[in-house]
Amino acid sequence: MTERLVIIGGDAAGMSAASQARRMKSAKELEIVVFERGHFTSFSACGIPYWVGGDVRERDQLIARTPEEHRARDIDLRMRVEVLELDVPGHRVRARELESGAESWVGYDKLVIATGATPIRPPIPGIDAPGVHGVQTLDDGQDLIESLESSPGRRAVVVGAGYVGVEMAEALINRGYEVTVINRGPQPMATLDPDMGSLIRKAMEGLGIRVLCTAELTKVLTDDTGRVRAVATAEAEFPADVVVLGIGVRPNTELARAAGLPLGSHDGLLTDLSMRVRGYRDVWAGGDCVEVLDLVSGTERHIALGTHANKHGQIIGANIGGGYATFPGVVGTAVSKVCDLEVARTGLREKDAHAAGLQFETVTIESTSRSGYFPGTAPMTVKMLAERRTGRLLGVQLVGREGAAKRIDIAAVALTARMTVDQMIALDLGYAPPFSPVWDPILVAARKAAVAVERNR
Ligand SMILES: Cc1cc2nc3c(=O)[nH]c(=O)nc-3n(C[C@H](O)[C@H](O)[C@H](O)COP(=O)(O)OP(=O)(O)OC[C@H]3O[C@@H](n4cnc5c(N)ncnc54)[C@H](O)[C@@H]3O)c2cc1C
């Protein structure tokens, strides 16, 4: 008998699940129906800042697979259809075709929830005015580009200095805008400790970006036509022809909540290691709508990243397809950049380590990306946290120029393997003058951390 798999959400997690399940089961064995309320599937939101900034020329370069390509592989992809309700005991979902308004119940044998995350939009006056933009979807990106092309002036305000805000600030600078970033936290990039965040602030200011920290948006002010003309914080007003919101996201789990599925303390769905929703045999979930296990602190977190969403989808598809795969958790690795400044982090910040009840040593070192004498060498700052007494690596943050960010992968592997900083010193990393100093900056930090651990043992 043919089983029916219904998937809600047709982007990274949803379409990875559909593709993997289809690789493992034929259309005779498994019918796959995907509901996607948007206009696109399998697109890279990660590329939107680079499209807006002009590094990527065409919108369609950000689309990995079109609906037609998915359909050619026997995936029944229903675009512009929104799922409005889950009836989990009845094994069915209520779906509405957004163009016609027609509604129907569709039954399933297996269900995948891949509804992603919802961008935060503070409920303040003027927030929905023309000229105020999110950057979650390709439609958002297109609207922003059109808004920039027709904007009366060249003053942009970015709200939020997480990685999306910082990347959008770069995009707007590249388009010749005067950019002000308004950030609630004490420094940009709250995923780093404030001392490392201050390096990013300094670099952004060096690029001519005005960075306002511990400042909160209170109002969007509009002109006679209703278009944004300025934004206000408690302290001041800032003229703005365009405003971009990058304040963060929360899991899109309203349907799941209404259906009584288990949510964690961050409102993300809770799954077991096979990405099956806890306590529900026939329901899986993955991507930005779930919480993940932090392997370093042992706590559940909500981390909205495409790299996780694609893996979740593949694991779900493999399990539904009759195979066996698990997602063990994450160490919290992320990379970003603002112009030529590269930023990377993995593991715990100081405040995470405190919250987890860990005692630790912290070291910060200055090094370079290449041998000191080699042309193009650039400074790099590495901060490392190691557990007191055991010396287990707890986290690394890194700020530098070309070649800095991807060094974080060494630390991500060391964290996953639960290595001590002492063991890291012995890692056989590659060396030649164009690529690193003879002691790679990660090794220099590990050596200093090992000394600190030894001293306080
Ligand atoms: C500007 C930007 C830059 C980013 N850069 C990076 C990066 O550099 N690296 C990285 O790892 N990650 C990055 N991300 C994050 C990454 O894009 C997301 O983590 C990833 O897209 C999550 O995939 P997902 O499938 O879980 O959710 P989504 O991509 O959000 O897909 C969910 C889909 O579900 C649909 N949907 C929701 N509810 C319903 C419903 N009820 N009915 C029908 N359809 C529904 C939505 O329309 C959407 O298409 C970035 C994100 C943004 C916005």
Side-chain angles (χ1 to χ4, degrees), residues 43-49 52 119 121 132-142 144-145 158 164-165 167-168 171-172 243-247:
F43 66 92
S44 169
C46 316
I48 292 174
V52 173
R121 250 183 130 83
V132 179
H133 297 271
V135 283
Q136 182 86 353
T137 64
L138 294 186
D139 287 328
D140 292 339
Q142 188 67 55
L144 173 58
I145 288 171
V158 176
V164 170
E167 289 172 6
M168 288 313 302
L172 293 163
V243 175
V244 176
L245 303 175
I247 313 179

Side-chain angles (χ1 to χ4, degrees), residues 203-227:
M204 288 171 79
E205 287 170 345
L207 293 163
I209 300 170
R210 176 155 58 158
V211 185
L212 303 164
C213 289
T214 54
E216 194 148 353
L217 187 72
T218 54
K219 210 188 287 178
V220 175
L221 304 153
T222 53
D223 63 18
D224 298 345
T225 68
R227 189 185 164 98

Side-chain angles (χ1 to χ4, degrees), residues 9 11-13 36-37 45-46 83 114-116 135 163 252 287-288 305-307 309:
D11 194 29
E36 170 51 57
R37 67 184 176 191
C46 316
V83 172
T115 46
V135 283
Y163 75 89
N252 178 10
D288 285 1
L305 283 177
T307 172

Side-chain angles (χ1 to χ4, degrees), residues 394-407:
L394 294 179
V396 175
Q397 298 160 41
L398 199 153
V399 175
R401 311 272 158 187
E402 192 199 356
K406 285 295 276 177
R407 278 187 161 89

Side-chain angles (χ1 to χ4, degrees), residues 116-382:
T118 309
I120 295 169
R121 250 183 130 83
I124 57 167
I127 194 76
D128 295 321
V132 179
H133 297 271
V135 283
Q136 182 86 353
T137 64
L138 294 186
D139 287 328
D140 292 339
Q142 188 67 55
D143 288 347
L144 173 58
I145 288 171
E146 283 165 17
S147 183
L148 291 168
E149 282 164 358
S150 64
S151 81
R154 304 195 78 73
R155 293 160 306 183
V157 170
V158 176
V159 187
Y163 75 89
V164 170
V166 159
E167 289 172 6
M168 288 313 302
E170 169 182 344
L172 293 163
I173 282 278
N174 287 347
R175 286 185 80 106
Y177 274 72
E178 217 176 86
V179 180
T180 300
V181 176
I182 296 179
N183 185 43
R184 187 156 66 170
Q187 297 294 347
M189 298 290 264
T191 51
L192 272 63
D193 285 320
D195 54 337
M196 294 297 278
S198 70
L199 303 179
I200 301 160
R201 179 182 187 160
K202 223 166 109 191
M204 288 171 79
E205 287 170 345
L207 293 163
I209 300 170
R210 176 155 58 158
V211 185
L212 303 164
C213 289
T214 54
E216 194 148 353
L217 187 72
T218 54
K219 210 188 287 178
V220 175
L221 304 153
T222 53
D223 63 18
D224 298 345
T225 68
R227 189 185 164 98
V228 60
R229 67 169 175 81
V231 298
T233 65
E235 288 78 32
E237 273 182 31
F238 303 93
D241 302 298
V242 173
V243 175
V244 176
L245 303 175
I247 313 179
V249 295
R250 54 171 71 100
N252 178 10
T253 48
E254 286 318 307
L255 289 177
R257 182 194 297 283
L261 298 177
L263 303 184
S265 55
H266 306 282
D267 288 335
L269 274 154
L270 296 176
T271 70
D272 64 16
L273 295 180
S274 71
M275 303 308 298
R276 192 181 239 133
V277 173
R278 283 184 206 163
Y280 290 82
R281 245 186 72 77
D282 297 322
V283 187
W284 278 262
D288 285 1
C289 63
V290 303
E291 294 189 9
V292 288
L293 177 65
D294 181 328
L295 295 171
V296 191
S297 67
T299 56
E300 320 250 54
R301 295 174 60 189
H302 179 243
I303 304 179
L305 283 177
T307 172
H308 302 162
N310 280 289
K311 290 182 186 118
H312 291 168
Q314 203 183 35
I315 287 161
I316 292 168
N319 288 324
I320 290 175
Y324 172 66
T326 57
F327 186 77
V330 302
V331 293
T333 311
V335 292
S336 187
K337 79 177 191 68
V338 51
C339 297
D340 66 343
L341 187 80
E342 299 187 7
V343 183
R345 54 101 58 228
T346 191
L348 307 184
R349 297 164 299 181
E350 289 193 34
K351 77 171 183 187
D352 305 319
H354 284 303
L358 294 164
Q359 294 193 9
F360 55 93
E361 309 293 342
T362 306
V363 297
T364 302
I365 63 106
E366 305 293 335
S367 183
T368 52
S369 55
R370 308 170 185 204
S371 289
Y373 56 80
F374 200 86
T377 190
M380 192 184 307
T381 306
V382 181

